[in-house]
Each structure stands twice: as C-alpha cells, then as structure tokens.
Amino acid sequence: MSMIRDLRAAVRPTRRRDEPPYRYEKSAPACANSAIVDCGVYREGRRVSEHVTPAEAMAGVRADGGFAWIGLHEPTEAEFAGIAQEFGLHPLAVEDAVHAHQRPKLERYDDTLFTVFKTVHYVEHAELTATSEVVETGEVMCFTGRDFIVTVRHGGQGSLRALRHRLQDDPELLAKGPSAVLHAIADQVVDGYMAVAGAVQDDIDEVEIDVFSSGTNGKGTGGKGSPKGGDAGRIYQLKREVLEFKRAVSPLLRPMQLLSERPMRLVDSDIQKYFRDVADHLARVNEQVLSFDDLLNSILQANLAQAAVAQNEDMRKITAWAAIFAVPTMIAGIYGMNFDYMPELHWKFGYPAMMLVTVAICCGIHRGFKRNGWL
C-alpha cells in the first residue's frame, strides 16, 4: 500500500481547486525550428544527458542501458521522419501521430506499443451562453518500446513538462522504464477528465437551476417565471460539449482495460498493477459523462414542456380577452343594422342603458375567467 501511495504522489501533485489540470501553453521546443520539446536519457531512474539529439540518445542507451524519452509537439512529416527511422516506428502509427484527430486507442506494432490519449481542457467562461465553448480537446500519443518512449502532443493543453520534472524527482519510479512514463501520462490524462467532469457538472447544475426556477417563480411569457428563450440553446450547446467529452473518455476504456489486465512484455509487471487504478477512475468518469447526457436530455425536455405550458397560457389569455371583446362587438353589430323598428332605438336612455349592460356583461365574463385562472 505504501508503494501505491508513493506512486500516486509522484504522478498526482496536490492542486488547488481552481488550478486547471493542465498548463494551457505550448512548451518551447528544445531547439529553434524543431518540434522536439525535450530529449533525455534515463539510467537507473536518473537523467544522465542534456541537450542531445534522438540519435545520440539512442546511441547512449544501446551502449550503456537505460531508456530515452523524446517529447515532440505537433511535428510535421519531415520533422518526424528521422525519429521514426531511428526508433523503427511503424508507418501507419507515424501517420496517425503526425496528422492527429485519432480516437483513443492502443495498438501493437512489433515491439512497440502505440497509445493515443485525448486530453481535455475546461474553457473558463463568465456566463454560459448558446455559443460558449466548454471543453477543448487535444491529443497525446505515445510510442513505447523496450528502451524508449516517444510522446507526440497536439493542441495547446496537456503539457508534459511538469510531469517529466515530477518523475525525475522519483528515481525509483523512473527506474521501472518507459512503462512508468506511460502510466504517469495515462494517470494525468484521466485526472484531467475528473477535473473537467466536475466543472461541467457545475455548468449543468447552473442550467438546471435556471430552467426549473424560471418555471416556478411566475406565470406566462411576460412574467418573471417564464422560460428563457436562450435556455434551449444553452442546453443543446452543453450537450454538444458533453458529446465531445464523451468521445475522449469512452474509447479509452478498452485500452486501459488491456493495459491493466493483459500481460505485456513492454509493460513492467509492477507498473501494470497501477493501470487498474487508472482504469477504475476512468470508468467512474465515463459513468459520470453518460449521466450528463441523460440529465441534459431531461432538462431539455422539461424546458420544452415549460415552453409549451407558457404558450398554452398565452392562448388561454388571448381566448379570454377575445370572448370579452366579442360582447360589445356583437351588440354594436346588432344596433348597427338599418332597421326602423328595433327595441329601445328611440328611447331617451337607450344608449347609456346599452353601455351599462355591455360593461356589466364584460365584467362578469372577466370575473369568470379570472376565477378559473385564465387571466
């Protein structure tokens, strides 16, 4: 148990509640005009080289042991070609790593594991609107071999620089080899999912409160409690963002299950145990994201139902007033006929009497509608 706590402490630093799971930045490349962010050789858990090329790093590994960790950010085909050749990476995996926009997956090519993670960043916003961007995704792709790990990052979030520094502070963990780095990356990605899920939950709660409070604090479209016209748009936008979130989380379940349950030569047996913890957290996040979709469906249906009720109330009011105005219209229509013999036509008090009758009938009808809740 102490080893599990030490491992979690190494890859999961203490964060403030308001601190984002990833640093939203693009790490500066190790050299100008290069996609390489960092390149180092690790032996017995300690970094033994600085400012080396991938070829020099692999030469040192083959001569003295250890493993190389090369990090890249959005490389082009030309920039990645030399590294792919040096490490013997499969062309199909290289194509996926360069062009990105891949589903989370785990594939094996000869003696290399190719893993794709979708990173998720929560976009802060002062107010949720029908056009607000809630989550933004990126990608981290890992080529894991016996004596190397190559990470390729796409997008502005998901920087691995802080993770590299934390791992370098734990030589015992890094001594486990490239699979320890793979686990740390997976753990950081899933931790990011958990943080984003909490933030999205807050947005959903806010929309839910707005929708149901607007339907209970008043009546009618002109009142305080009428449904907001933008609520349906906000809910639909949240559904789109949750769908993008789900596309990052759900496909990763199978890869994490394989890494945690199936013995693999490229994954240290001690490290494999800790993938179960990552898989468990991922399963919980996936259940939470699925519940988001169901909850938003219910909120959207409630909002549409409130809109229908509000429209029905408007129609009742219109109908009630139409009935009231029908009385003077009918009377005026009758006495507008050109007949000589009509009741009270030549009576001195005929006009005021007819006006009083009209007002009395209208007031009676208004009172009846008011009593029945139509007005």
Side-chain angles (χ1 to χ4, degrees), residues 102-118:
Q102 303 296 317
R103 283 169 53 88
K105 60 183 177 180
L106 173 66
E107 295 177 343
R108 180 169 180 173
Y109 296 97
D110 299 326
D111 290 331
T112 303
L113 286 179
F114 178 59
T115 315
V116 178
F117 300 98
K118 282 278 192 182

Side-chain angles (χ1 to χ4, degrees), residues 98-372:
V98 170
H99 296 290
H101 304 295
Q102 303 296 317
R103 283 169 53 88
K105 60 183 177 180
L106 173 66
E107 295 177 343
R108 180 169 180 173
Y109 296 97
D110 299 326
D111 290 331
T112 303
L113 286 179
F114 178 59
T115 315
V116 178
F117 300 98
K118 282 278 192 182
T119 58
V120 178
H121 169 73
Y122 179 76
V123 181
E124 297 290 344
H125 43 264
E127 181 182 1
L128 182 65
T129 66
T131 58
S132 295
E133 185 177 17
V134 179
V135 296
E136 186 177 26
T137 60
E139 293 178 42
V140 175
M141 305 176 184
C142 302
F143 296 87
T144 309
R146 292 181 179 276
D147 51 10
F148 69 86
I149 180 166
V150 178
T151 57
V152 182
R153 185 167 61 90
H154 290 268
Q157 73 281 349
S159 174
L160 302 177
R161 178 176 293 181
L163 176 63
R164 185 188 289 260
H165 291 164
R166 291 198 301 271
L167 288 174
Q168 289 175 175
D169 292 337
D170 190 355
E172 183 179 353
L173 177 61
L174 263 184
K176 299 294 183 180
S179 59
V181 179
L182 179 63
H183 166 267
I185 293 172
D187 194 63
Q188 175 169 291
V189 169
V190 174
D191 273 357
Y193 293 165
M194 297 174 69
V196 172
V200 172
Q201 178 70 67
D202 292 339
D203 282 338
I204 294 176
D205 291 343
E206 177 186 344
V207 171
E208 184 178 22
I209 291 173
D210 289 345
V211 168
F212 286 99
S213 62
S214 67
T216 57
N217 292 337
K219 295 180 180 180
T221 56
K224 178 181 177 182
S226 61
K228 300 178 183 178
D231 277 342
R234 296 164 69 203
I235 298 169
Y236 187 71
Q237 178 66 12
L238 262 180
K239 282 180 64 64
R240 289 178 61 88
E241 297 296 305
V242 167
L243 177 60
E244 186 175 0
F245 191 10
K246 184 163 64 174
R247 287 172 179 167
V249 175
S250 297
L252 191 58
L253 289 171
R254 181 58 177 167
M256 286 298 100
Q257 184 180 9
L258 293 176
L259 286 171
S260 62
E261 297 177 358
R262 180 177 296 179
M264 297 182 182
R265 290 180 298 172
L266 298 174
V267 179
D268 187 275
S269 58
D270 291 333
I271 295 297
Q272 188 173 32
K273 301 174 184 177
Y274 304 121
F275 276 108
R276 299 173 188 169
D277 181 62
V278 179
D280 177 64
H281 288 174
L282 181 64
R284 283 193 290 171
V285 174
N286 184 64
E287 292 174 359
Q288 191 173 6
V289 173
L290 293 178
S291 70
F292 288 165
D293 199 30
D294 293 337
L295 181 57
L296 285 171
N297 284 334
S298 300
I299 295 175
L300 182 59
Q301 291 175 1
N303 178 254
L304 295 177
Q306 288 179 358
V309 170
Q311 291 176 354
N312 186 47
E313 290 180 353
D314 290 340
M315 291 303 300
R316 288 165 59 180
K317 289 182 179 181
I318 294 172
T319 303
W321 283 111
I324 293 173
F325 285 114
V327 174
T329 302
M330 179 188 68
I331 295 175
I334 292 174
Y335 278 89
M337 299 180 185
N338 296 320
F339 292 101
D340 290 333
Y341 301 102
M342 294 184 67
E344 292 83 31
L345 189 62
H346 300 288
W347 183 35
K348 179 179 180 180
F349 300 102
Y351 176 76
M354 193 55 59
M355 292 298 294
L356 288 175
V357 170
T358 301
V359 171
I361 295 175
C362 289
C363 290
I365 296 175
H366 182 276
R367 183 179 180 184
F369 282 131
K370 193 77 172 179
R371 188 188 315 154
N372 292 325

